[in-house]
Every structure is written in C-alpha cells, then in structure tokens.
Amino acid sequence: MGQALPKPALRPLLPSDTPMLAAIFVASIQELTGDDYSEAQQEAWAAAVEDEEAFGRKLAGQLTLIATIQGAPVGFASLKGADHIDMLYVHPSVAGHGVASMLVEALEKLAGGRGAKNLTVDASDTAEPFFKKRGYVAKQRNTVTLNGEWLANTTMQKTLADNAAPGVPT
Ligand SMILES: CC(C)(COP(=O)(O)OP(=O)(O)OC[C@H]1O[C@@H](n2cnc3c(N)ncnc32)[C@H](O)[C@@H]1OP(=O)(O)O)[C@@H](O)C(=O)NCCC(=O)NCCS
C-alpha cells in the first residue's frame, strides 16, 4: 500500500475540471485495468475522452464528485439519474488509498438522502472486487461494444440503509 497520503477532500465538479478528469480517466484505464482487459479493449474504452467537450457534457449532466489531494483532482465519481453509479476513476498514483471508497460512500449518502432505495453500477471486472467489498451484489453479466471492441462488465446492486429517519439506528 505504500506511504500514507494526505486525506483526500471532496467537492462538486467545476467546468474547468474536464481536461484533468479526462487525463485521470485515461491513466486509470491504461494503468489499472491491464489484468482484466486487453490493450485493444483499454484503447477503445479510453477513446471515450477523445471528444473532450462531449466528455465534459456527460460529467456536467450527472452528479459528479471530485476527490482532491492538496487541491489537485485525483479521482471522480458520478451518479446518473437517481440511483446508478456511472463513472468511478482514480488516478493510479493514489490507487489503493481509499479514494474510491470515499467517493462511493458520498454518492451512496447523496442518493439515499434523495430517496433512492438501491444503487446500481455496471462494474468493470477491475472494479468488481471493490464494489463487492462495499456490499454490492452481482446481478447480471453484460458485454458492451465500445469503438468496435467487446468489453465485459457486471451489473451490481446495493440496497441502501433507510434514510427516512436520520439519526435513528436501523
Ligand atoms: C476500481 C477503482 C476505482 C478503485 O479505486 P481505489 O481508490 O484504488 O479503491 P480504494 O482504495 O477505495 O479500495 C477500497 C477497497 O477495495 C479494494 N480494491 C480496490 N480495487 C481493487 C481491485 N482492483 N481488486 C481487488 N480489490 C480492490 C482495496 O484493496 C480496498 O480494500 P481494503 O479496504 O480492504 O484496503 C480503481 O482501481 C480504478 O480507477 N480502476 C480503473 C477504472 C475502473 O475500472 N473504473 C470502474 C468503472 S465501473
């Protein structure tokens, strides 16, 4: 796990974040998913940021949270609609230090606070053990086509604690 990092902070998306988040997206795919996806699959996946404007629009159209360390973005996660985690990417230089856990915990609280009963995610094979650890249960195996390549992922679901009565133990 290496040296302890300064504690990450969370903040909402700013329009100026797009290039930095695109770089994190590409680096995390290139450096963290190689055990699970071929080089051609990684390239097809990372190509989603080639149209940076469209990538920025996607981030802005969802509830996107940014994790920062000493002010610099190191990871991000997004909630699509009321109850679907769409994106979760952490820079390889800080992987394994709890950044994704912090992001997903915040999305779970936000979604639960807005009344979502369950959260779903189409987890990459790389992220599946992470989500399993957080209580997500595999529901369905999928193959999606991206820029001519077939990539597998798994739809997973977690039932959120009832937030109707904050402060009351359940
Ligand atoms: C999956 C990902 C977001 C995890 O980010 P992270 O910041 O390293 O995760 P955390 O440090 O919060 O990990 C929390 C726990 O999950 C475990 N975990 C994280 N990634 C794991 C992996 N690939 N395999 C097994 N366990 C993993 C950690 O060991 C840790 O366990 P611990 O609490 O017992 O120490 C990151 O690897 C990533 O960006 N991957 C590439 C992009 C991707 O696949 N995104 C998902 C799209 S759905």
Side-chain angles (χ1 to χ4, degrees):
M1 206 193 228
Q3 253 184 317
L5 291 175
K7 195 174 155 43
L10 295 183
R11 64 161 171 80
L13 176 75
L14 299 171
S16 57
D17 286 327
T18 303
M20 189 62 156
L21 302 191
I24 292 171
F25 180 88
V26 171
S28 78
I29 293 166
Q30 281 177 344
E31 293 181 44
L32 298 175
T33 70
D35 288 348
D36 307 295
Y37 298 95
S38 71
E39 235 170 83
Q41 288 174 319
Q42 288 174 302
E43 272 171 31
W45 186 357
V49 294
E50 274 173 13
D51 184 345
E52 204 172 276
E53 230 181 277
F55 181 66
R57 275 198 304 275
K58 186 175 173 185
L59 292 165
Q62 302 184 355
L63 196 172
T64 301
L65 292 180
I66 316 298
T68 62
I69 291 181
Q70 292 174 332
V74 292
F76 63 99
S78 73
L79 186 71
K80 184 178 178 183
D83 54 12
H84 185 74
I85 297 175
D86 189 26
M87 290 185 274
L88 174 66
Y89 294 88
V90 167
H91 194 276
S93 62
V94 301
H97 288 275
V99 172
S101 302
M102 197 173 180
L103 284 162
V104 170
E105 196 177 325
L107 285 187
E108 287 172 359
K109 282 194 178 140
L110 282 166
R114 293 171 168 197
K117 301 287 176 221
N118 301 289
L119 267 190
T120 56
V121 62
D122 293 334
S124 70
D125 290 353
T126 308
E128 190 181 340
F130 165 83
F131 281 107
K132 193 172 171 200
K133 213 163 214 173
R134 289 201 58 85
Y136 289 74
V137 176
K139 293 287 177 190
Q140 179 185 312
R141 192 87 176 127
N142 315 300
T143 36
V144 293
T145 175
L146 268 182
N147 297 310
E149 288 287 327
W150 288 93
L151 282 81
N153 65 35
T154 304
T155 301
M156 302 179 84
Q157 187 180 53
K158 179 177 180 173
T159 302
L160 299 177
D162 192 352
N163 285 287
V168 178
T170 50

